[in-house]
Amino acid sequence: MSKTKSTYKYDIEGHEPDPEQKRDADRLIRVCREHLDSLDEAMVRKAFTLCYLSHKGVKRASGEPYYYHPVAVAEIVASEITIDDVSVIASLLHDTVEDTKVTLDDIEVLFGEDVAHIIDGVTKISGVFKSRNTKQAETFMKLLLSMAEDIRVVLIKFADRLHNMRTIQHLPREKQLQIATETIELYAPLAHRFGLFNIKNELEDLCFKVIDPNSFKFISRKLREKKQDREAFIEEFMQPIRKELSDQGFEFEIKGRPKHIYSIFRKMQRQQKPFEEIYDLFAIRIILNDPHKKEDCWRVYSIITDWYTPIPKRFRDFISVPKANGYQSLHTTVITKQGRKVEVQIRTHKMDEIAEKGLAAHWKYKENKEGSETLDKFVTWVRDVLDNPRPDAATEFVKDFQLNLYQDEIYVFTPQGELRTLPQGATPIDFAFDIHSEIGERAIAAKVNGKMTPLREKLDIGDQVEIITGNKINLNPDWIDDVVTHKAKSRIRQFVKQKERQVADEGREIWEKKAKKNNIEISEQELTKVIQKLDYDSTKQLFYEIGKGSADVKELVRVVSEFKSKGRVEVDVPEETRPLTEKEIQETYINAARSISDDDALIINGELTNVKYSYANCCNPIPGDDVIGFISRIGDVKIHRSNCKNVRHLIQTDGERIVDVSWAKNIGSQFLGAVKVIGEDRVAMINDLTDVLSKSLKTNMKSINVNSDSGMFEGILTVFVDDIDHLDRIMEKLHKVEGVKSVFRYE
Ligand code: MN
């Protein structure tokens, strides 16, 4: 980059600040002073001025001046991630190169190489986001790659995304869903891996609010209702501990915030329990101020367990063995005299900073050995996961990757006593691949704690594992279901692909011999045309089927001969399997927007339509549910609940087919809903439940499915309802039936 190419048109030095500009710049400087260790104030002001001038006159979707956004991102970077002033400067300018006349050369001349480098990285990533053809997975890989270059690029990208999510309500609904899905699938897991827990939690809650507004509102209301109870309980629980700690001269802080909404929701789903039965809605955190050291955490632990009985199984020592993202803390769950279980986390101030800001906090400590080692580990980790970046495997890659991100970790040992960290659920096969891919490929057996053990058996915390290898490759394709690490999965898949290629080559040979015998000459291109009619994706797939013996080569000869004589092939293709063309999708949109119709209608993109639609039976939406539409392959619209798992997938693969839909006022038909009832197993329980439905609510029931086990009753009632209110009323009444413990909507 040479200085002569500089083309910036803004009079930064000579510009007399506007009042609002001065006000906002002063506020940012205040935030920086409060949080950053060192600050080049003149440089930050200069960046602010260029940001202000270059975006002048442009507005955001909310109608606010555009420069509010980069300034907000800079504030997040300064106060919530807390990196350095270079990152604040880069944040202020992060959208300039892409959206304004400012060039990278300008930035380098004015702010130096570091800032230019970071902005280059941020711009490249967002370039990928804008090109519609690139799939998310590739974006994700780019993100990782840029991280390996300069971690600040990704941290700014997180701050950028966080501010965009905080202000997402100004965008149209389908855009909101698209962004929220991308954020929850890619950014949140990555933030988790970086240990940016605060940001990860907020991103998840903001996404959840978009994707499933009803559940979000429900849980936040419940949390508000319970707030006083919770605070009183924490006060009572801590009172003796607080006194004892003070008496012994500890300086500390106590935090008792509830878990974030999305994690509570996930817990309810996983455990199939209503809100009231999730006991660990919060953990009590005891944070020791400086200069307390890690030894003091153990002393605190001992004080707590003098007062309350610990549950040994729930004890975790992340201080001696930190998590891969650097997280350190002591966790224990204790029982109060009233029988209530409480999780207590004990850590030092520095550990807490790392727990909330993860990698960003390590950046701050990078001068220390510990900090720089953790940073190095991240870079190695990124290189490791990007070891095998085949673009066709990108989607699989992201899937495995996300799986690994959220999993709990276990640690195991090599025969030499070296510690290895693996995701929970890992088997000796994972362990073998983790050591070296060659060991994985040649593994024939394992010794766990000195005992011969099947390769597929799950490992436990603390196991010592030895892998016994053979001389040749022993890789078994079925292992794919027994491994959880990305490394093992990708190598096994690669192996399977190789095998498939061999079979396909054999199949091709069979076909070529047969073709020669029947005097058929056909070009690869023509053959491709023919087999598409036969519903094969590629000649490779066809040859593979022939090689395997599952496709009939004689049938192929017949079809090809027919094609050669008539010039076309007649095969019945069921309509569903034919994908819609781009044009047909467009037409569906246009028809949907044009037609106006009667009561029994759906509203697409704000207009009443009589386009053909149906309800997805994966999530069975009911009027009142938050819904979206998906234009199916045959051109009608499928209505899903917006929190449906399948929709997430569809947004990723076919985002352009999503349409915003809402319920018309008069639907006039009935819908199927299911509720789960849990309670005491007593005589006449079923009778009482069905009575409520038929007598007091005039509801028709489709089916009832009952399970009773050791005095507990569990029933799933499928009923016909008008709308969500109707279903809510049913649930309320069922709850009041004698002996019923909980009632919730069943998916
Ligand atoms: Mn931005």
Side-chain angles (χ1 to χ4, degrees):
M1 284 180 261
S2 76
K3 295 190 182 212
T4 49
K5 268 197 276 169
S6 181
T7 54
Y8 66 93
K9 320 274 184 313
Y10 308 102
D11 181 13
I12 298 173
E13 311 291 332
H15 170 76
E16 189 59 41
D18 300 338
E20 53 162 10
Q21 179 196 351
K22 188 171 176 322
R23 176 200 66 201
D24 293 341
D26 288 348
R27 193 188 62 231
L28 176 65
I29 293 291
R30 267 201 306 279
V31 173
C32 287
R33 272 196 206 130
E34 193 186 326
H35 291 95
L36 300 180
D37 294 337
S38 71
L39 174 66
D40 185 340
E41 192 179 317
M43 232 17 169
V44 174
R45 283 196 187 272
K46 191 158 113 183
F48 193 102
T49 308
L50 181 59
C51 161
Y52 178 81
L53 291 176
S54 61
H55 291 297
K56 205 168 180 175
V58 183
K59 291 211 159 36
R60 300 195 83 207
S62 60
E64 291 173 333
Y66 191 86
Y67 84 95
Y68 280 21
H69 166 66
V71 172
V73 174
E75 273 182 35
I76 293 171
V77 164
S79 64
E80 290 175 54
I81 304 183
T82 317
I83 325 172
D84 57 4
D85 52 357
V86 170
S87 315
V88 171
I89 293 167
S91 306
L92 282 169
L93 303 170
H94 81 270
D95 279 332
T96 54
V97 173
E98 201 180 338
D99 299 340
T100 74
K101 290 192 190 109
V102 178
T103 67
L104 260 190
D105 294 309
D106 301 339
I107 305 256
E108 191 179 347
V109 171
L110 289 167
F111 302 98
E113 207 179 327
D114 261 11
V115 176
H117 201 77
I118 295 172
I119 292 177
D120 190 27
V122 178
T123 311
K124 272 185 192 140
I125 297 175
S126 67
V128 180
F129 277 108
K130 285 198 174 147
S131 82
R132 289 189 58 192
N133 300 330
T134 325
K135 289 270 182 269
Q136 276 184 328
E138 287 166 45
T139 311
F140 190 59
M141 288 196 187
K142 284 251 159 104
L143 254 174
L144 286 175
L145 273 175
S146 65
M147 188 207 105
E149 273 177 35
D150 190 330
I151 287 155
R152 288 175 291 187
V153 174
V154 189
L155 295 177
I156 291 173
K157 204 65 207 168
F158 278 131
D160 184 30
R161 181 54 62 118
L162 184 58
H163 184 245
N164 285 334
M165 281 303 303
R166 281 178 184 170
T167 51
I168 199 166
Q169 71 273 20
H170 304 289
L171 296 177
R173 172 101 183 119
E174 63 266 36
K175 194 89 207 162
Q176 286 186 19
L177 271 171
Q178 228 159 8
I179 293 175
T181 307
E182 186 184 71
T183 305
I184 208 161
E185 304 266 325
L186 298 184
Y187 283 83
L190 199 56
H192 177 92
R193 187 61 178 78
F194 281 11
L196 295 160
F197 288 107
N198 282 351
I199 289 187
K200 180 211 112 194
N201 291 350
E202 190 182 342
L203 281 177
E204 281 185 345
D205 276 356
L206 290 167
C207 292
F208 184 48
K209 195 175 172 185
V210 169
I211 292 167
D212 190 353
N214 284 335
S215 306
F216 180 88
K217 269 181 244 154
F218 172 80
I219 295 173
S220 37
R221 198 190 67 223
K222 289 276 186 187
L223 281 176
R224 264 198 315 278
E225 287 169 4
K226 296 260 151 97
K227 190 165 180 247
Q228 278 195 346
D229 269 9
R230 193 167 56 234
E231 283 169 356
F233 173 78
I234 292 173
E235 219 14 72
E236 196 193 317
F237 178 92
M238 279 310 296
Q239 204 246 331
I241 306 288
R242 211 190 274 275
K243 185 172 178 303
E244 188 60 36
L245 288 175
S246 301
D247 286 353
Q248 296 203 22
F250 280 99
E251 301 258 350
F252 59 95
E253 197 188 323
I254 289 158
K255 286 186 192 167
R257 262 178 301 171
K259 291 215 165 78
H260 70 297
I261 292 171
Y262 183 61
S263 73
I264 294 171
F265 174 76
R266 274 215 312 227
K267 248 202 170 126
M268 288 164 64
Q269 295 256 302
R270 219 177 15 233
Q271 305 180 352
Q272 285 282 302
K273 278 184 180 165
F275 180 88
E276 283 72 16
E277 284 171 37
I278 305 289
Y279 77 88
D280 49 352
L281 286 173
F282 62 89
I284 294 177
R285 220 176 268 169
I286 300 172
I287 299 152
L288 298 178
N289 294 345
D290 293 332
H292 283 297
K293 294 261 169 331
K294 71 175 182 196
E295 303 83 76
D296 299 320
C297 296
W298 291 100
R299 284 176 53 214
V300 174
Y301 172 78
S302 134
I303 290 169
I304 289 166
T305 50
D306 281 349
W307 278 92
Y308 300 108
T309 315
I311 305 173
K313 256 176 80 182
R314 300 284 309 261
F315 175 74
R316 291 277 182 282
D317 171 13
F318 296 116
I319 290 184
S320 314
V321 186
K323 290 191 186 182
N325 55 26
Y327 178 89
Q328 284 188 299
S329 192
L330 281 186
H331 289 192
T332 178
T333 300
V334 297
I335 301 184
T336 66
K337 301 244 154 46
Q338 294 74 37
R340 192 162 167 183
K341 290 180 199 160
V342 188
E343 183 177 328
V344 184
Q345 304 174 348
I346 309 157
R347 53 176 84 143
T348 63
H349 175 72
K350 185 182 155 189
M351 289 175 197
D352 191 53
E353 214 179 339
I354 288 169
E356 295 200 328
K357 294 178 179 171
L359 196 59
H362 283 297
W363 172 264
K364 199 170 134 191
Y365 296 111
K366 68 179 180 305
E367 311 301 333
N368 304 348
K369 182 167 156 281
E370 204 182 316
S372 73
E373 266 176 12
T374 313
L375 281 176
D376 284 350
K377 254 201 245 158
F378 271 99
V379 176
T380 324
W381 170 76
V382 170
R383 300 232 163 93
D384 211 40
V385 287
L386 293 174
D387 222 11
N388 186 18
R390 290 172 305 146
D392 61 313
T395 320
E396 274 168 9
F397 165 82
V398 170
K399 242 174 52 205
D400 296 348
F401 184 75
Q402 286 169 333
L403 208 71
N404 283 353
L405 285 176
Y406 275 133
Q407 248 153 1
D408 275 336
E409 293 164 347
I410 58 167
Y411 40 91
V412 295
F413 298 95
T414 68
Q416 289 77 36
E418 188 201 337
L419 185 139
R420 314 288 293 203
T421 309
L422 291 171
Q424 189 147 36
T427 59
I429 309 170
D430 288 298
F431 176 85
F433 277 101
D434 190 58
I435 303 277
H436 198 282
S437 51
E438 211 167 295
I439 295 185
E441 286 159 9
R442 288 164 201 271
I444 46 177
K447 258 189 194 171
V448 176
N449 304 324
K451 231 177 73 199
M452 289 303 285
T453 306
L455 282 170
R456 301 169 166 211
E457 206 155 291
K458 287 193 171 91
L459 293 171
D460 261 335
I461 291 181
D463 278 347
Q464 189 161 37
V465 191
E466 183 184 346
I467 299 293
I468 297 156
T469 54
N471 294 328
K472 46 181 207 287
I473 291 187
N474 181 49
L475 223 165
N476 180 349
D478 292 344
W479 284 354
I480 196 81
D481 297 324
D482 303 309
V483 296
V484 291
T485 53
H486 171 70
K487 215 168 163 185
K489 275 216 155 95
S490 75
R491 180 59 194 108
I492 295 168
R493 279 208 192 97
Q494 211 184 337
F495 179 77
V496 170
K497 287 242 163 79
Q498 272 168 17
K499 273 267 179 264
E500 280 174 3
R501 216 171 297 139
Q502 270 174 24
V503 175
D505 286 347
E506 284 162 26
R508 180 183 282 274
E509 248 170 66
I510 295 172
W511 157 247
E512 278 167 358
K513 267 192 205 142
K514 202 79 179 173
K516 206 168 167 195
K517 214 166 131 200
N518 288 283
N519 291 322
I520 295 174
E521 268 182 49
I522 184 165
S523 68
E524 191 79 16
Q525 229 174 356
E526 281 176 313
L527 187 62
T528 308
K529 234 194 225 165
V530 175
I531 62 151
Q532 269 166 2
K533 296 278 183 193
L534 290 171
D535 216 20
Y536 288 105
D537 294 336
S538 63
T539 49
K540 205 178 119 199
Q541 192 203 349
L542 170 77
F543 291 139
Y544 173 73
E545 301 275 336
I546 291 175
K548 223 174 62 179
S550 56
D552 187 1
V553 70
K554 276 190 216 134
E555 170 70 5
L556 183 63
V557 170
R558 187 191 68 74
V559 177
V560 170
S561 318
E562 192 184 273
F563 172 79
K564 286 304 245 186
S565 60
K566 290 188 191 163
R568 64 192 156 86
V569 190
E570 273 152 24
V571 185
D572 288 337
V573 181
E575 214 186 340
E576 291 235 11
T577 61
R578 187 181 65 86
L580 277 192
T581 62
E582 200 58 39
K583 199 166 149 240
E584 283 167 320
I585 295 176
Q586 273 304 321
E587 275 165 5
T588 312
Y589 267 112
I590 294 165
N591 286 338
R594 253 191 226 138
S595 43
I596 292 176
S597 146
D598 56 322
D599 292 349
D600 182 33
L602 178 75
I603 301 173
I604 295 186
N605 288 335
E607 297 203 42
L608 283 169
T609 69
N610 60 1
V611 72
K612 249 176 76 187
Y613 66 90
S614 57
Y615 301 102
N617 45 24
C618 46
C619 52
N620 291 318
I622 298 173
D625 276 334
D626 212 72
V627 285
I628 61 132
F630 182 76
I631 302 174
S632 80
R633 290 185 167 227
I634 51 168
D636 63 354
V637 175
K638 269 255 184 288
I639 311 301
H640 290 264
R641 287 167 66 181
S642 59
N643 63 358
C644 171
K645 280 200 188 89
N646 293 332
V647 168
R648 276 199 186 182
H649 178 71
L650 294 174
I651 289 176
Q652 276 192 14
T653 52
D654 298 279
E656 67 281 358
R657 289 165 171 238
I658 300 284
V659 283
D660 186 18
V661 297
S662 49
W663 301 94
K665 282 234 174 63
N666 309 304
I667 304 272
S669 54
Q670 289 222 306
F671 292 79
L672 273 182
V675 289
K676 189 168 184 173
V677 179
I678 297 173
E680 286 161 24
D681 189 19
R682 58 171 179 83
V683 189
M685 176 62 113
I686 297 180
N687 219 350
D688 290 353
L689 293 175
T690 49
D691 260 15
V692 165
L693 294 179
S694 58
K695 288 193 184 131
S696 71
L697 285 160
K698 306 263 177 289
T699 303
N700 289 319
M701 192 163 68
K702 183 172 177 260
S703 66
I704 177 165
N705 214 320
V706 179
N707 223 327
S708 47
D709 181 26
S710 57
M712 284 304 283
F713 169 94
E714 211 183 280
I716 295 165
L717 285 67
T718 313
V719 290
F720 291 96
V721 293
D722 302 325
D723 53 26
I724 197 86
D725 284 345
H726 187 182
L727 191 68
D728 281 347
R729 279 200 307 278
I730 292 173
M731 289 175 26
E732 213 171 290
K733 288 263 174 166
L734 289 174
H735 209 134
K736 288 187 183 139
V737 171
E738 194 199 321
V740 167
K741 292 260 184 294
S742 66
V743 179
F744 52 94
R745 190 163 172 192
Y746 183 73
E747 318 272 337

